[in-house]
Structures are given as C-alpha cells and as structure tokens.
Amino acid sequence: MPRPSLPAIFNGKAVALDQVPRLNAAEFRDAVIAEVAAGARLAALFGQPSGAGVRLIAVLARGRTGTLAAATTEVGDSFQALTPDCPQAHGFEREIAEQWGVRPHGHPWLKPLRFHASYRPGHDAWGRAGDEHISPSVTDFFRMEGAEVHEVAVGPVHAGVIEPGHFRFQCHGEQVFHLEIALGYQHRGVERALVGGPHLRTMQHLEVLAGDTSVGHATAYCEALEALAQCAVSARAQVLRGVALELERLANHAGDLGALAGDVGHLPPAAYCGRIRGDFLNLTALVCGNRFGRGLVRPGGAGFDVEAGRVVQLLERLEQALADATVAVNLLWETPSVQARFEGTGVVARAECEALGLVGVAARAGGLERDVRHEFPAGIFRFAQIPISTWQSGDVLARAYVRWLEMQRSVAFIREQLATLPDGLIRAPLGALAANQLVVSLLEGWRGEICHVAITDDNGRLARYKVVDPSFHNWAGLALALRQQQISDFPLCNKSFNLSYCGHDL
C-alpha cells in the first residue's frame, strides 16, 4: 500500500503557507490518491487564482490519527483528473472546472455543477463565450435505452417548502436503474463574497449559508479566525457553543424523524416530532433570542451568556422535550408497518460510503465510525467526548435510528455541560489575522462534517475561503441509495438523507 508522505497539520491550527508542500501536478495527484488509498478522506479540493493559472489545494482528513494534511500544485487550463482513481474527487473536480475554467482530463462525467459563468474571464472548461447565458440543468443527462426503459424528471419545483433541485430517473417500470441529481438553483456566490474579509457582513453570510446549520457554520468560521488571530476562547464560551451545536442537532434530528414518519403515513409521530422540533428550537431562542442561534456564536467566544436561572429553565425544558421525544419516536420502532418500510430501503453499503467519502449520519448508518467530535475534536469536544452512534445496515432504518441515538447523547452532553458551566468571560477580543497562513476548521454539524479552509494574503485578509458543507459529499450517496429501489421510495430515501441544497450551491 502506498505510504503517505505529506506532513501532518491539525484541526483549528494555522500553518504558514510556505510550509504547505508545493508539488508538481503529477506528484500532487499521486500524493492525494496515495493518502486516500491509505485510509484518508478528501475533505476539500479547490482552486485559487495564482498568476496566469490556478493553484489547486487539497485537504485530507486522516481519521485514524486525528491529523490532517494539505498540499498545493499550480496548473494552467488543464490537469490529469483524480476521479478515475479517487471517486471522492468527482464533485470537487467539476467545481474546479466550472469556477476556474481548468479542465480535469479524464474525468468520467465532466459537466457543470452549479451552472454559472467561469470566475476566470477568458477561461471556460466547455469553451462557452463569456456572455453566453447559462440555464440551470440544461445539459446532457445519463440515459439508458431498452424495451420499456423510460425517464422520469422531477423538479426543480417541488411540493411544500423543499428547495429547488432537479432529479432525473432512469426506470424500468417502477424500478430505478439510475438517478442523476442536478443542483445549482440556489447559487449565491457566498465564497466569493467572503474574499477580502472579514468585514461587517461576513458573519451574516456564514449564518445564512445553510439556514438550518447557522450554529455549525458560524462556529467553524469563528474557530478558523481564532486560529489565525491566535485568540484564546474561554471555557465558558466553548461550553455555550457546544450546547448550541447540540441543540441544533436535536432540533433537526427531531424534525427529520417526524418527516420520515409522515412519509410512511404514520401521522402521530409526524405531528409530535414537528412540535418537539419547535421545543428544541425554542431552547436555542431562550439562550440568544433567535431559534436558529443567529448572533450566539461570535469570533472570540459567544454573543450571549446564560445566568443561573436560565440554566435551570433550560435543563427543565430539555428534560421535558426528551421525555416527549422518547414517547413519539418509540412509536416508530414499535410499529411493524413502519419497520417494514424502513428496513432494506435505500441501502448504501459501508464500502460505498468509504469510496464516496460520505460523512455524518449517512456514513455512520453504514457502519463507519466517522465523527469530527471524536476524530478531530475542537472547542469543548476536546474535553467532553460524545460516543459515536453507528448502525450497520445502511438503510433508511439505520439513518433514522442513528439520529435517535444521537439525540439521546446530545441531551446527556448538554445536561452535563450546563450543570458544570464554568465561570469566566464569554468573549475575548479578536486581534489581526496573521498574514499568509492556511487553517482548516472541521466541525461535526448535524448533517456531518463541516469543513472551512481559510487562506490569508500579505495583509492578513481572506484571500480564499472554502466551505464544504456535508451535503456536498452526501448527494452522491442519495443517488446510489435509489439504485434498484422502487421510484415511490424516493421521498423516503430523500428524507432519510435530508441534504442541503443551498449548502451545496453556496
């Protein structure tokens, strides 16, 4: 097996850019493939303008050792694709081609990812003119031919409040042979808006990057800035952030379990969990006045404190919410018709989770012990471990049950942390950011690994800010889960992943 050779870096620790290995394109490709073959995972791969060309930066997560690795290379208008030997690079290389007009030769399915113009004028991976209008999802889709094989197109407009996305199924009767997913309708240019910062709107951009993950993305951003400024955050602020992160997980997991119940027509837990989700959101509002935690996490610490009286109130309401959730969620496990719909539906095997680099609930439901809080702990999670919740079957049942296990453990964590809330200030001043540095900030959001990579320029401003929402890794898992399924299982499988459209599109 190839031996990794890239030096180790650590989550939330800044390193000088000149200490990040600069390899030629062939060495870069070989190093990334060797790391992944040795068990690492491609956490990020992105481009940055560099002179007349583009610098590629790869970040690898070595879960076994709790370390990271990074490498860079300079390319012109093309490079040899990694995807044929490293499927985890598939989406990243499409993104690089679209953003910077750099074509990864040999990519097996090279097409736009978000359907926008190149960020590098005069360079387009598909040879389009700079003023050519680009319509979302107007592109070639994979097609199958054969007797009674037919195509079903769903979206981008869906019923209810689902975000826009296009799903193209290749079917034989009710059986799905292949699903292709086209997104990009929510593209807002968030990463480009962060360049030159931090500025007054940066925090707001991060908090609405994926609206249901405000605390997760805000915390990852703050930890990146604090590393660049060498700012020490107090223990009290770390606890408040950790509590907010787990409340965000509780609210979303409760909502997801209710949505799964609704998709199989079991209305009591669907109704109960919808209300209980609101109870958890209201706990966050009790801390900071906002149900999504906006304003709670700030560079240097926290924006709000809790006094003793509110701690008591939080604990009382937390226990009541867990008691209610236990009654509602147990209805799922005690109802044979629900089990029959969940079991064996939308299976993604462990080997497929590993090959695609899935993260979060989707990976743990396939048996992978993959959790940033355990592998790359930062903040309060360096001192308070939450056991990893896994299941082995990789189906809808597994993704539902992992959520329920995590809810119970999140409550135990919050209970313990609030009962021993340390004294101290909640916010420290954030100094200037160090120049010419790179920092990787990983955090386990409720969907999975959130990865932020910040690079500063000569003046200590953000020269590049890369965000990888867990959905970016996991959309491929949803497509795989539908293979050989009945097309009528799509809503159930989709809910069991509950991926972010805006978090992917950015």
Side-chain angles (χ1 to χ4, degrees), residues 45-389:
L45 174 63
F46 58 98
Q48 178 187 16
S50 176
V54 173
R55 176 180 299 150
L56 301 185
I57 299 110
V59 176
L60 295 132
R62 301 161 170 162
R64 294 173 187 166
T65 61
T67 63
L68 307 171
T72 71
T73 190
E74 305 285 335
V75 296
D77 286 342
S78 67
F79 63 99
Q80 188 64 36
L82 284 75
T83 300
D85 298 303
C86 179
Q88 297 174 27
H90 168 258
F92 289 121
E93 291 191 325
R94 287 174 59 186
E95 181 182 62
I96 290 167
E98 185 169 45
Q99 291 184 343
W100 306 111
V102 180
R103 193 173 182 86
H105 284 305
H107 192 288
W109 196 232
L110 185 63
K111 55 192 291 187
L113 194 67
R114 302 187 180 98
F115 301 94
H116 61 73
S118 171
Y119 296 164
R120 200 161 62 114
H123 300 269
D124 187 279
W126 295 274
R128 299 169 299 191
D131 58 354
E132 182 177 329
H133 177 71
I134 301 171
S135 299
S137 294
V138 179
T139 182
D140 292 333
F141 286 88
F142 180 83
R143 296 194 67 174
M144 298 180 64
E145 302 291 343
E148 301 183 9
V149 172
H150 61 279
E151 186 175 73
V152 178
V154 177
V157 178
H158 305 277
V161 293
I162 299 172
E163 294 178 275
H166 182 63
F167 301 87
R168 192 74 68 98
F169 298 86
Q170 306 295 315
C171 300
H172 182 270
E174 290 291 309
Q175 187 179 19
V176 176
F177 286 158
H178 183 77
L179 165 62
E180 187 166 355
I181 301 169
L183 304 176
Y185 298 89
Q186 299 277 72
H187 177 60
R188 295 153 291 164
V190 174
E191 286 183 358
R192 299 181 78 192
L194 302 177
V195 173
H199 45 64
L200 291 176
R201 297 187 63 186
T202 304
M203 199 69 224
Q204 284 67 43
H205 283 309
L206 270 298
E207 287 185 326
V208 299
L209 186 150
D212 53 16
T213 317
S214 289
V215 173
H217 280 290
T219 305
Y221 167 72
C222 289
E223 289 182 349
L225 257 59
E226 288 151 7
L228 291 167
Q230 296 190 340
C231 172
V233 177
S234 71
R236 188 177 184 87
Q238 299 282 17
V239 169
L240 292 172
R241 287 179 176 183
V243 167
L245 186 70
E246 296 310 310
L247 285 175
E248 190 169 76
R249 193 181 319 278
L250 283 163
N252 283 290
H253 280 4
D256 286 347
L257 290 171
L260 286 168
D263 262 10
V264 298
H266 198 24
L267 299 184
Y272 295 152
C273 286
R275 192 265 296 167
I276 295 164
R277 170 180 176 269
D279 292 342
F280 288 123
L281 290 174
N282 289 339
L283 287 178
T284 301
L286 184 61
V287 176
C288 67
N290 183 284
R291 282 158 50 100
F292 296 100
R294 291 171 193 164
L296 176 52
V297 180
R298 284 293 178 268
F304 292 85
D305 202 353
V306 290
E307 70 284 358
R310 262 194 300 167
V311 168
V312 172
Q313 194 176 351
L314 279 166
L315 288 170
E316 290 176 350
R317 290 169 60 174
L318 181 71
E319 297 300 337
Q320 185 60 55
L322 177 64
D324 292 349
T326 302
V327 174
V329 176
N330 279 340
L331 292 174
L332 294 175
W333 321 133
E334 296 167 355
T335 305
S337 61
V338 172
Q339 296 294 293
R341 290 289 288 117
F342 283 9
E343 284 182 332
T345 302
V347 174
V348 183
R350 179 189 177 105
E352 294 167 332
C353 293
E354 284 188 301
L356 293 174
L358 301 193
V359 297
V361 169
R364 293 191 284 276
L368 295 182
E369 294 186 359
R370 184 170 287 172
D371 189 320
V372 173
R373 294 170 295 179
H374 180 77
E375 295 174 298
F376 312 99
I380 188 59
F381 300 105
R382 290 174 295 169
F383 311 105
Q385 291 282 311
I386 295 180
I388 301 178
S389 303

